[in-house]
Amino acid sequence: MAANETTAAAMTSPRDSEAIAARDRAAEYLVSRHRYRWAEALPWLACIAVFFLFPDRLTFGSQVLVMVLFALSLDLILGYAGIVTLGHAAFFGIGAYTVGLGAAKFGWTEPVSGLFAAFVVASIAGFITGWFLLRYRGLTLLMLTLATAIMMQEAGNLRSDLSGGYDGLPGLVFDPLLGRFDYDLYGHTNYVYALVVLAVVFYFVRRIVYSPFGQALTGIRENVRRMHAIGSPVHWRLVTVYTIAAGIAGIAGALFTQTNAYVTLTVFDFENSAKVMVMLILGGTGRLYGAFLGAAVYMVLEDYFSKLSPTFWQFGIGLLLVLAVLFARRGVLGLFEQAGAYFGKDKNLDKNLDKNKGTKP
Amino acid sequence: MPQFAIIAVSILFDGLAYAMFLFITSVGLSVTMGLMGFVNLAHGAFAMAGGYIVVSLTRNLGIGFAPSLAIAAVVVGAVSVIFERGLYRRLYKATDLEQVLLTIGLAFMAIATATYLYGPIPKSVPLPTWLQGDISLGFRAFPTYRAFLIVLGIVLISVLWYAFEKTNIGAKIRAAVDNRRMAESVGINVDLLFTLTFALGSGLAALGGGLAIQLFGLSPSFAVLYLVLFLIVVAVGGLGSLKGTLLAALVIGVIDTGGKYLYAEAGGFFIYAITVIVLLIKPAGFYGRE
């Protein structure tokens, strides 16, 4: 069919052929967009390299992977659908407590099925709250999401006989992974476990993002009125992605509980919601790998500087945020892309999110 | 007097004092959000700055409590103009998210600075003798300080109401909140107006921060801890509405106090539940424009 069009183009005026060529390029771009690029292997190779290079820091490493997963779930709703939430920790906490309570009160200590349970419970919570909340925007939505997370924390505190309150549920014991791999002191098993879970979830998130559904989400983010006008079921699209993101945040929470073997009510903290958002913003929203870079950079910096001086670290992260908003609105990855475009190497991760569409060839 | 009546009066009295603090601190946030739609999460940091200035003035320089409050309000109001002109102005047309990030970054920096200068331990402030002790009403003694807070709140509300409803500049602010472009096209300098209200709002927040020390103690986490309450008052009351902010402050203040008297284990559960219910029914708050 493309061949037909090119022959037709040869017979029409130069202006038409230009338009057809542009359309072909657009089609080509849409078809090739989801293909894997070599650069995408880099973060995964880095994760594997860490396993061999820092064998004594793998407990910390699995914490980073958990936060990457959490940030990835936020990227789905914030980066792609443009939902600004201050209460994403609610679902992280629900996942964490699903596994924690299961192990502490019901003897459900099998880890992998625990992840599934966390996914299901957090998804249900995401569906219910999302169905109510996602018809609002702006400040109202910010306050509603924030209030939802704090209400869950207060509810947990009210039933501290179950949740353990702010002392939490310490010393949880989980079955060996797949009945075979036991947990070691240095966190080797945990690291590999978290990495595999992250890879599996990442595969699905990537599929979602490049599907027509993902395109619709981007459309809602960019111009919600136009999406309404072309008949897109905006509310259901948002509820769907919110439910999925809640489920993934639940998996991240469950991994958090399993790799730490404890959980406290601080998982619901506003700080937890704010932290994951900061990570994602620093890395770059709406580009999948922003979650990797942001979470890793943030956690490593935090680990280093907060030992030096927590006050200094807090000041630094505030300053970073201010600078990011003023000078690097699209995160570190956005800066890389700008630098890449500047030096004429325009083959970076995800060009379709480039805001300055006029510069594209 | 029967027991439940005493409890009810106590809840009303303490709730009213609390509501006055909430109103004084939040009203500036409500008006600036209504005028520019700017989500200012650093508002709590201005309140905290006011509190620490009061601590420094009273403890280190020996200035009285009441003059310290006034100085703190003026200083913070003036400094806030620098932030508004230098930083906030660039982001009026930006998305909610960018405004949230910038101002939360500023709040983090403020908390870190306060921790560096004053340490993480809560500070208290020496009260003059006329604010210490209790006022007895026969069946129960009420703390003088809270009575003072209520009186001060009523005075401020009256002044603000007069300025907002009866003066020329108040009419301009209301016009700009209602329809900014129309206000600009009839020659109102909305930019200047905004800078003025921003300074006034930040000054009032600093006053609220100074008043809060005696109620809750003052630690660096104040900037974020109470920010959530201010935002709730603003969202529930409706952006840019004096009446709404007052009503929301009263509702939140009394219900939170009542919850703590009657069912302390629930903590802040009630106010969040109220917030969610109100916002689900009226997304723009009590007196907000839909």
Side-chain angles (χ1 to χ4, degrees):
Chain A
M1 186 186 152
N4 273 345
E5 275 179 16
T6 11
T7 43
M11 285 180 284
T12 49
S13 70
R15 210 168 144 206
D16 282 349
S17 67
E18 206 172 276
I20 289 166
R23 200 170 60 195
D24 281 352
R25 272 207 305 278
E28 165 84 7
Y29 169 67
L30 281 176
V31 171
S32 67
R33 197 168 63 98
H34 67 278
R35 285 188 197 135
Y36 289 91
R37 294 165 185 78
W38 66 268
E40 287 186 70
L42 281 177
W44 302 102
L45 290 176
C47 290
I48 295 168
V50 164
F51 182 81
F52 293 105
L53 291 177
F54 303 103
D56 51 342
R57 298 301 311 277
L58 290 183
T59 309
F60 175 67
S62 41
Q63 295 312 307
V64 175
L65 293 179
V66 166
M67 289 318 284
V68 170
L69 190 58
F70 189 24
L72 190 66
S73 75
L74 185 65
D75 200 15
L76 259 185
I77 51 175
L78 179 70
Y80 285 92
I83 304 168
V84 186
T85 162
L86 288 181
H88 202 47
F91 307 114
F92 186 85
I94 286 176
Y97 265 95
T98 305
V99 171
L101 283 177
K105 309 285 173 193
F106 304 105
W108 188 346
T109 52
E110 207 289 308
V112 178
S113 62
L115 287 189
F116 278 103
F119 177 79
V120 171
V121 176
S123 295
I124 293 171
F127 179 78
I128 296 170
T129 55
W131 191 81
F132 277 111
L133 303 188
L134 289 174
R135 47 196 87 219
Y136 306 110
R137 305 210 125 220
L139 177 71
T140 311
L141 181 63
L142 286 179
M143 294 321 299
L144 283 170
T145 49
L146 177 65
T148 316
I150 300 181
M151 269 169 76
M152 287 182 189
Q153 190 173 35
E154 297 284 2
N157 196 29
L158 205 55
R159 292 303 309 271
S160 50
D161 51 325
L162 274 179
S163 70
Y166 286 92
D167 298 329
L169 303 168
L172 301 171
V173 180
F174 292 98
D175 290 349
L177 204 56
L178 304 173
R180 181 183 289 219
F181 304 104
D182 212 343
Y183 306 99
D184 52 325
L185 192 59
Y186 300 102
H188 288 97
T189 315
N190 276 335
Y191 186 81
V192 175
Y193 176 42
L195 188 56
V196 170
V197 172
L198 177 63
V200 171
V201 174
F202 183 83
Y203 173 76
F204 284 107
V205 171
R206 200 178 180 285
R207 288 294 294 264
I208 292 170
V209 163
Y210 289 123
S211 68
F213 171 69
Q215 263 326 85
L217 293 178
T218 312
I220 292 170
R221 182 192 68 199
E222 291 297 321
N223 193 335
V224 67
R225 282 187 191 160
R226 196 173 290 178
M227 290 305 280
H228 275 300
I230 63 168
S232 176
V234 170
H235 185 240
W236 280 114
R237 294 253 191 278
L238 291 178
V239 172
T240 310
V241 73
Y242 199 71
T243 307
I244 297 169
I248 296 172
I251 295 180
L255 263 182
F256 176 82
T257 305
Q258 290 176 350
T259 51
N260 282 309
Y262 76 85
V263 56
T264 77
L265 279 179
T266 53
V267 288
F268 288 104
D269 270 354
F270 169 64
E271 277 180 61
N272 204 11
S273 299
K275 198 164 118 176
V276 69
M277 191 192 259
V278 171
M279 289 176 184
L280 185 62
I281 301 298
L282 289 182
T285 55
R287 48 189 68 240
L288 295 180
Y289 289 99
F292 279 75
L293 199 63
V297 169
Y298 184 100
M299 297 280 285
V300 171
L301 287 179
E302 183 184 44
D303 185 56
Y304 181 72
F305 284 113
S306 65
K307 266 181 215 155
L308 227 58
S309 154
T311 312
F312 178 70
W313 162 243
Q314 192 173 31
F315 190 87
I317 199 71
L319 188 64
L320 262 181
L321 271 179
V322 172
L323 292 178
V325 172
L326 292 179
F327 301 112
R329 293 197 180 179
R330 290 155 58 224
V332 177
L333 278 184
L335 281 182
F336 283 157
E337 274 171 34
Q338 274 171 5
Y342 184 78
F343 292 111
K345 281 171 71 181
D346 209 357
K347 287 265 175 191
N348 232 318
L349 286 177
D350 210 353
K351 269 193 301 184
N352 70 316
L353 287 152
D354 203 325
K355 289 270 165 61
N356 358 307
K357 290 190 176 90
T359 62
K360 224 186 286 173
Chain B
M1 194 180 258
Q3 189 65 31
F4 74 88
I6 293 177
I7 292 176
V9 171
S10 306
I11 289 175
L12 270 181
F13 179 81
D14 285 352
L16 205 58
Y18 187 29
M20 290 308 150
F21 155 70
L22 286 178
F23 175 81
I24 292 170
T25 324
S26 314
V27 67
L29 188 63
S30 175
V31 175
T32 48
M33 274 185 167
L35 263 181
M36 286 290 176
F38 193 90
V39 185
N40 182 14
L41 298 191
H43 193 73
F46 287 122
M48 178 195 72
Y52 276 116
I53 290 175
V54 170
V55 168
S56 279
L57 290 178
T58 48
R59 289 218 174 263
N60 301 343
L61 300 177
I63 299 173
F65 181 65
S68 302
L69 283 177
I71 296 172
V74 171
V75 169
V76 172
V79 170
S80 75
V81 172
I82 300 172
F83 281 96
E84 197 272 329
R85 290 268 153 174
L87 278 178
Y88 287 29
R89 183 147 298 227
R90 295 155 168 256
L91 290 185
Y92 287 150
K93 298 229 164 66
T95 58
D96 286 354
L97 179 64
E98 282 163 345
Q99 297 171 349
V100 164
L101 292 170
L102 177 91
T103 51
I104 222 170
L106 289 177
F108 282 172
M109 288 162 79
I111 293 174
T113 311
T115 317
Y116 180 74
L117 293 176
Y118 295 91
I121 301 150
K123 295 273 177 196
S124 64
V125 69
L127 287 182
T129 39
W130 57 278
L131 283 177
Q132 291 170 1
D134 296 314
I135 299 172
S136 181
L137 284 182
F139 61 96
R140 190 189 185 282
F142 294 103
T144 314
Y145 186 76
R146 294 187 183 217
F148 160 73
L149 206 56
I150 294 174
V151 173
L152 182 67
I154 292 170
V155 170
L156 274 175
I157 290 165
S158 317
V159 171
L160 282 177
W161 177 83
Y162 182 82
F164 218 62
E165 300 289 331
K166 300 287 171 190
T167 67
N168 192 14
I169 202 152
K172 283 180 180 171
I173 293 175
R174 279 181 290 132
V177 170
D178 265 0
N179 190 334
R180 179 155 178 237
R181 293 164 88 179
M182 196 64 211
E184 276 173 343
S185 59
V186 297
I188 296 173
N189 188 346
V190 176
D191 268 7
L192 182 69
L193 209 59
F194 184 73
T195 308
L196 280 178
T197 47
F198 191 83
L200 180 69
S202 307
L204 282 175
L207 178 65
L211 291 170
I213 307 172
Q214 179 64 21
L215 295 179
F216 319 110
L218 181 69
S219 64
S221 60
F222 184 90
V224 173
L225 211 59
Y226 288 93
L227 172 72
V228 177
L229 279 175
F230 308 149
L231 284 171
I232 284 178
V233 168
V234 170
V236 167
L239 297 181
S241 161
L242 212 60
K243 217 169 21 172
T245 310
L246 178 59
L247 183 61
L250 288 173
V251 168
I252 300 288
V254 172
I255 286 180
D256 195 26
T257 311
K260 276 172 185 152
Y261 263 89
L262 302 174
Y263 195 35
E265 303 83 48
F269 187 84
F270 291 111
I271 48 173
Y272 296 107
I274 288 287
T275 306
V276 169
I277 293 167
V278 170
L279 289 183
L280 285 177
I281 298 168
K282 286 184 81 72
F286 287 141
Y287 288 100
R289 282 150 42 86
E290 304 269 335

